[in-house]
Amino acid sequence: MELSETFWNNKYLNNKTGWDLGEISNPLKEYFDQVEDKSLRILIPGGGNSYEAEYLFNLGFTNVYVVDIAEEPLKRIQKRVPNFPKENLIHANFFELEDAFDLIIEQTFFCAINPELRAEYAQKTSELLTEKGKLVGLLFDAQLNEDHPPFGGSKQEYEEYFRPYFTVDKMEACYNSSKTRQGMELFIKMIKK
């Protein structure tokens, strides 16, 4: 399955972005609202239009980064939020990124990658996090598509990928999902081992 830069750019150019809520997801908004340290280095992988990055930036977080294999959504963020630091919009493959972050936000990236890469994703997020860094976000707790994104899964499956690298603080049914995702999401908060 070839989920290439061209594939994802075409999704944005042809407005085939059914996963895009058009705003920050409620669970992440509530999480961000209680984070006090505005200097945390935060990465949003496969960020797409990244309303999360926009929200964090507007809250005064100074080190928010978005990485995406597709350039089109990064251009859209820059256009929508002209003051967002251009150097923090990284046009690259997440799996090739080398840096260090305090917090990685998961929002529809895990369900967009080839499921064969899920164990590698767990390892890579761990590698990119600082000591005691956190992976926080949302995972689909539903069987979705098998031949194209979004790919679903289950709590049991996810625990197998993450337990070697993380202490699972939370992986539970999300009580405050956006309307279109109610009953389909897990809120995760994991701490690097």
Side-chain angles (χ1 to χ4, degrees):
M1 180 176 337
E2 184 60 36
L3 300 173
S4 65
E5 176 178 358
T6 302
F7 173 88
W8 289 110
N9 266 327
N10 285 338
K11 288 280 189 188
Y12 287 95
L13 292 170
N14 296 315
N15 203 29
K16 301 282 185 194
T17 56
W19 67 87
D20 192 312
L21 295 171
E23 61 186 4
I24 186 173
S25 66
N26 199 43
L28 289 176
K29 178 184 180 303
E30 289 186 21
Y31 177 78
F32 296 153
D33 286 347
Q34 55 82 43
V35 176
E36 294 179 5
D37 185 353
K38 303 277 198 267
S39 69
L40 289 174
R41 284 180 53 86
I42 301 172
L43 176 67
I44 304 172
N49 287 321
S50 204
Y51 305 101
E52 293 72 26
E54 178 180 7
Y55 187 79
L56 287 164
F57 180 73
N58 289 336
L59 276 182
F61 285 83
T62 56
N63 293 302
V64 180
Y65 297 81
V66 178
V67 63
D68 205 299
I69 196 169
E71 193 171 19
E72 184 60 29
L74 298 173
K75 290 178 182 176
R76 291 177 182 200
I77 297 167
Q78 192 69 63
K79 186 174 182 179
R80 202 175 67 243
V81 191
N83 292 331
F84 194 93
K86 190 171 184 166
E87 63 274 13
N88 292 15
L89 298 172
I90 306 164
H91 179 218
N93 183 330
F94 165 77
F95 294 98
E96 296 171 2
L97 197 61
E98 293 187 20
D99 208 333
F101 301 93
D102 304 302
L103 178 62
I104 295 179
I105 302 301
E106 173 51 47
Q107 167 67 348
T108 69
F109 179 56
F110 186 83
C111 72
I113 61 173
N114 187 322
E116 294 174 2
L117 295 173
R118 288 179 168 184
E120 189 178 342
Y121 169 97
Q123 181 179 354
K124 186 65 179 178
T125 53
S126 174
E127 290 171 4
L128 289 171
L129 284 167
T130 56
E131 186 177 346
K132 301 293 181 191
K134 294 177 189 154
L135 171 63
V136 174
L138 301 163
L139 297 174
F140 280 116
D141 187 25
Q143 293 308 315
L144 301 174
N145 304 303
E146 292 186 18
D147 61 345
H148 66 277
F151 303 102
S154 67
K155 180 178 179 177
Q156 181 180 357
E157 174 194 349
Y158 303 150
E159 286 175 335
E160 290 177 29
Y161 298 129
F162 292 106
R163 284 211 186 273
Y165 309 102
F166 292 91
T167 300
V168 178
D169 183 35
K170 285 187 182 174
M171 188 181 288
E172 55 197 39
C174 196
Y175 68 88
N176 57 351
S177 293
S178 300
K179 187 185 272 188
T180 58
R181 297 184 184 166
Q182 287 179 353
M184 296 175 57
E185 290 182 313
L186 295 169
F187 182 79
I188 61 167
K189 181 179 174 190
M190 300 187 227
I191 302 162
K192 178 179 175 172
K193 286 185 176 176

